[in-house]
């Protein structure tokens, strides 16, 4: 067996200005990388970033892969200088892995600059070269990790100047190059990134008189600021938003697309208007700011929301006057985030400022309350900021919070099957498409977590706020996460990582592989 050695200490300059606790946690994390991770990329952004999203797979062009995968400083201060430095990068900074071991992914990031600094807020359209499973030397990965380091596998392709700081980015799965954004205004912006050439240098911005780019489409309708609640349907070009007006609005982007539609295969979508009004408005169902929204994974007519009134609602665009399901007091503090399980659409997960992650079964519509959720996880020591289900495993979900940790949870089979068999009467009365009652067969999902439900804990961020993360839809055990490090004067840290399959697979599968290796030795 290979001898796993601890990586060398981080360079002294890498830890400058950081607390002893942060340095200690970082060193413990680096020591665990060779054992617990299949791969990890880490990149420090010069400015804060509150959102990160995967886009589509980038065509693996052979010539493109041979080009230098350069370090991008992610600062609008001197993009031209950064490009020049990349062109002059030595051979040592070229991609370390051969093309057939890399998967090229489009990712969306942002930069929130300090007001009055003279630099623009931006959307960054980048390409990340992510090592495929079982191709990384994790000892080497750990030895090159730095708290404020730059990743050689990241290339920024476009920089779009955003009107105001970007609070949230969400991509449209039906049009992967189209993203929606929220800032500190009433409107939601839609950007067709394929139609933008991108800012190539500070001179470009000066030539425009310092004006930001114009959104492809503006979604109007909120009567107060809409900052953080944003979602796109996985099955139709629809966007939902929640705001400080306590309202949830839904827009159908097909109403703004020209007769040709467009937008397939990376081509620019043909929008026929620049402003769009909502197709449905849910007003009065929540009493305070709506913090998060999510669409049903299979039916674009259904969505769910959570708010500072501690309530969780399931909504149907065909009847915006009432909630199909309304759970009062879903949490003991503000309800912060929500996600709908892709595989088992009877399950909804929520996270709250009380530090608790809960799973509700919508088959228990008449009985749903904070007390009878089918599962809850209590390891976070601060507010839960984001929750997300695994794309292919209905027992696995993850959450991140203000304690700087990202937990991957696994429900027991008993918890997953602990729901009602009666469909919500509201769905039946409205004729809505009913979520499937039958959950996947239990024999397919044996337990791998400990008694508290923890399958994995990612502690690689130097900040106390992991503000966003996403499972890669095309590589389900790969995660991209983002921390807001501005409190330590460090901008943000974006990480792309994959858990070792010695953890994600069952004991029986691992033992069988080890037996096979011994037999072949």
């Amino acid at each position: 067996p290979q001898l796993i050695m601890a990586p060398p200490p981080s360079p002294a300059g890498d830890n400058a200005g950081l607390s002893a606790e942060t340095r200690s946690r970082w060193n413990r994390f680096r020591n665990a990388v060779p054992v617990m991770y299949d791969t990890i990329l880490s990149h420090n952004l010069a400015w804060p970033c509150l959102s990160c999203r995967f886009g589509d797979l980038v065509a693996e062009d052979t010539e493109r892969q041979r080009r230098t995968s350069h370090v991008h400083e992610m600062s609008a201060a001197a993009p031209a200088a950064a490009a020049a430095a990349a062109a002059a990068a030595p051979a040592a900074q070229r991609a370390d892995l051969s093309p057939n071991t890399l998967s090229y992914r489009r990712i969306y990031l942002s930069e929130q600059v300090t007001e009055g600094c003279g630099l623009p807020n931006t959307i960054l359209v980048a390409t990340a070269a992510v090592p495929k499973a079982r191709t990384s030397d994790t000892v080497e990965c750990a030895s090159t990790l730095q708290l404020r380091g730059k990743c050689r596998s990241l290339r920024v392709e476009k920089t779009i100047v955003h009107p105001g700081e970007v609070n949230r980015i969400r991509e449209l799965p039906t049009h992967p190059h189209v993203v929606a954004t929220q800032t500190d205004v009433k409107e939601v912006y839609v950007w067709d990134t394929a139609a933008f050439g991108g800012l190539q240098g500070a001179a470009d911005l000066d030539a425009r008189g310092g004006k930001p780019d114009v959104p492809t489409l503006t979604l109007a309708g909120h009567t107060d600021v809409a900052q953080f609640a944003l979602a796109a349907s996985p099955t139709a070009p629809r966007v939902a938003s929640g705001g400080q007006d306590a309202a949830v609005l839904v827009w159908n982007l097909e109403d703004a697309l020209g007769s040709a539609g467009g937008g397939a295969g990376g081509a620019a979508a043909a929008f026929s208007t620049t402003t769009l009004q909502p197709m449905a408005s849910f007003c009065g169902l929540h009493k305070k700011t709506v913090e998060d929204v999510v669409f049903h994974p299979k039916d674009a007519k259904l969505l769910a929301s959570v708010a500072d009134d501690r309530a969780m609602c399931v909504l149907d665009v065909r009847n915006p006057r009432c909630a199909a399901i309304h759970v009062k007091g879903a949490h003991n503090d503000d309800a912060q985030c929500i996600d709908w399980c892709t595989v088992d659409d009877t399950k909804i997960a929520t996270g709250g400022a009380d530090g608790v992650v809960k799973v509700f079964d919508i088959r228990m519509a008449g009985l749903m309350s904070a007390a009878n959720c089918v599962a809850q996880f209590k390891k976070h020591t601060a507010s839960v900021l984001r929750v997300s289900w695994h794309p292919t495993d209905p027992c696995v979900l993850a959450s991140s919070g203000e304690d700087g940790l990202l937990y991957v949870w696994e429900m027991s089979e008993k918890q997953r099957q602990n729901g009602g068999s009666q469909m919500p009467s509201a769905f039946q009365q409205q004729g809505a498409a009913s979520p499937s009652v039958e959950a996947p067969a239990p024999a397919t999902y044996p337990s791998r977590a400990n008694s508290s439900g923890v399958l994995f804990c990612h502690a690689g961020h130097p900040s106390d706020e992991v503000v966003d993360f996403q499972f890669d839809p095309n590589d389900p055990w790969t995660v991209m996460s983002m921390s807001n490090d501005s409190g330590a004067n460090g901008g943000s840290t974006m990480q792309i990582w994959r858990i070792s399959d010695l953890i994600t697979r069952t004991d029986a599968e691992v033992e069988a592989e080890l037996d096979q290796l011994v037999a072949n030795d």
Side-chain angles (χ1 to χ4, degrees):
Q2 179 184 5
L3 178 63
I4 298 177
M5 302 179 64
S10 297
D14 184 40
N15 293 335
L18 298 171
S19 68
E21 180 182 354
T22 299
R23 293 195 299 269
S24 175
R25 187 169 75 175
W26 174 257
N27 287 330
R28 290 197 304 271
F29 161 70
R30 292 175 75 242
N31 290 338
V33 165
V35 181
M36 301 182 67
Y37 291 81
D38 179 78
T39 192
I40 182 165
L41 308 175
S42 186
H43 187 95
N44 178 255
L45 288 76
W47 295 100
C49 176
L50 299 185
S51 201
C52 59
R53 300 298 289 180
F54 283 108
D56 51 345
L57 280 167
V58 178
E60 297 190 0
D61 178 74
T62 304
E63 181 61 30
R64 177 189 182 87
Q65 291 174 8
R66 291 197 189 104
R67 287 186 289 171
T68 300
S69 184
H70 64 263
V71 176
H72 179 81
E73 294 297 335
M74 294 215 173
S75 171
Q93 289 188 359
R94 297 181 183 275
D96 297 321
L97 300 175
S98 60
N100 63 353
T101 65
L102 296 172
S103 175
Y104 288 79
R105 296 304 315 274
R106 183 90 65 225
I107 61 173
Y108 299 107
L109 308 171
S110 66
E111 294 175 311
Q112 285 192 354
V113 302
T114 303
E115 187 175 358
C117 72
L119 301 176
N121 293 285
T122 61
I123 302 170
L124 302 175
V125 183
T127 300
V130 183
K132 296 178 182 179
R134 295 192 170 197
T135 62
S136 293
D137 181 340
T138 52
V139 174
E140 176 66 19
C141 282
S143 67
T144 58
L145 284 176
Q146 296 183 15
L147 267 172
R148 292 174 178 167
K150 306 297 181 181
C151 178
R152 298 198 302 267
S153 300
L154 189 70
R155 177 188 289 112
V156 171
E157 309 287 355
K158 296 182 180 181
T159 305
I160 300 172
V161 180
H162 194 274
E165 60 185 27
V166 182
N167 295 327
R168 188 72 81 229
I169 302 173
R170 290 295 179 260
E171 80 290 354
L172 272 67
T174 57
H175 298 71
H177 54 89
V178 177
V179 298
T181 61
Q182 283 179 321
T183 182
D184 297 334
V185 298
K186 302 175 185 178
E187 294 76 24
V188 175
Y189 298 133
V190 175
W191 306 84
D192 183 357
T193 61
F196 287 86
L199 185 69
Q200 300 301 317
D204 294 358
L205 186 63
D206 293 339
R208 297 200 310 239
K211 295 181 180 179
D213 286 305
V214 178
T216 307
L217 186 64
T218 298
L219 307 181
H222 278 292
T223 59
D224 205 341
V225 175
Q227 288 181 297
F228 295 106
L230 185 64
S233 169
T235 60
R238 292 185 179 182
V239 172
S241 169
Q244 293 181 10
D245 54 5
V248 175
L249 308 183
V250 180
W251 294 268
N252 184 5
L253 269 58
E254 288 182 335
D255 295 339
L257 288 169
S259 58
F271 287 98
S272 60
T273 185
T274 57
T275 303
L276 187 65
Q277 297 296 325
M279 65 175 291
S281 301
F282 299 89
C283 302
L285 302 181
H286 285 292
K287 305 304 180 186
K288 293 184 179 180
T289 299
V290 177
E291 293 288 357
D292 201 9
V293 290
V294 63
F295 277 94
H296 187 281
K298 302 171 186 175
D299 189 342
K301 297 183 289 295
L302 304 176
L303 63 157
S305 60
V306 289
D308 287 347
D309 60 4
R310 308 183 181 185
M312 186 270 285
C313 293
V314 176
L315 311 170
D316 190 323
V317 297
R318 292 165 294 188
N319 188 0
R321 293 186 301 275
C322 64
I325 300 173
H326 192 171
V327 182
K328 296 181 180 180
H331 286 268
N332 294 328
D333 206 333
D334 298 351
Q336 303 268 62
C337 49
I338 189 168
D339 196 33
W340 208 318
C341 183
T342 303
V343 181
D344 179 1
D345 59 3
T346 66
K347 301 297 188 297
I348 291 177
T350 62
D354 54 5
V356 179
V357 175
K358 295 187 176 183
V359 177
F360 295 93
D361 191 318
I362 64 173
R363 295 173 295 182
M364 301 173 64
L367 302 173
M368 287 172 67
S369 69
N372 67 2
C373 58
V374 297
Q376 56 181 320
F377 305 98
K378 300 180 178 180
K379 292 291 286 185
H380 284 289
T381 57
S383 294
V384 179
L385 300 177
R386 176 92 173 97
V387 64
S388 179
W389 289 93
H390 189 277
T392 60
D393 192 327
C395 293
V396 175
L397 64 157
S399 62
S400 66
E402 290 183 354
D403 54 4
L405 300 175
L406 193 158
Y407 284 101
V408 179
W409 313 95
E410 183 179 45
M411 295 173 58
S412 68
E413 192 56 42
K414 180 179 179 180
Q415 288 173 324
R416 193 174 66 82
Q417 295 296 329
N418 185 21
S421 59
Q422 182 178 0
M423 289 304 301
S425 58
F427 285 107
Q428 295 173 336
Q429 292 170 3
Q430 296 166 21
S434 300
S436 58
V437 178
E438 294 298 327
T444 310
Y445 307 101
S447 178
R448 295 151 294 187
N450 62 22
S451 59
S452 61
V454 177
L455 177 62
F456 191 82
C457 179
H458 177 64
H461 286 280
S463 164
D464 286 338
E465 289 187 345
V466 180
V467 292
D468 199 13
F469 73 89
Q470 183 187 17
F471 285 102
D472 186 344
N474 292 284
D475 186 4
W477 285 106
T478 298
V479 178
M480 176 166 56
S481 53
M482 179 70 67
S483 61
N484 179 11
D485 308 337
S486 57
N489 196 29
S492 285
T493 299
M494 184 277 295
Q495 295 180 340
I496 299 177
W497 45 277
R498 184 185 301 112
I499 307 172
S500 168
D501 63 9
L502 296 177
I503 297 173
T504 60
R505 292 187 297 164
T506 65
D507 290 347
E509 291 173 323
V510 174
E511 290 170 0
E513 181 177 353
L514 293 175
D515 290 343
Q516 186 63 43
L517 289 173
V518 171
N520 294 337
D521 191 4

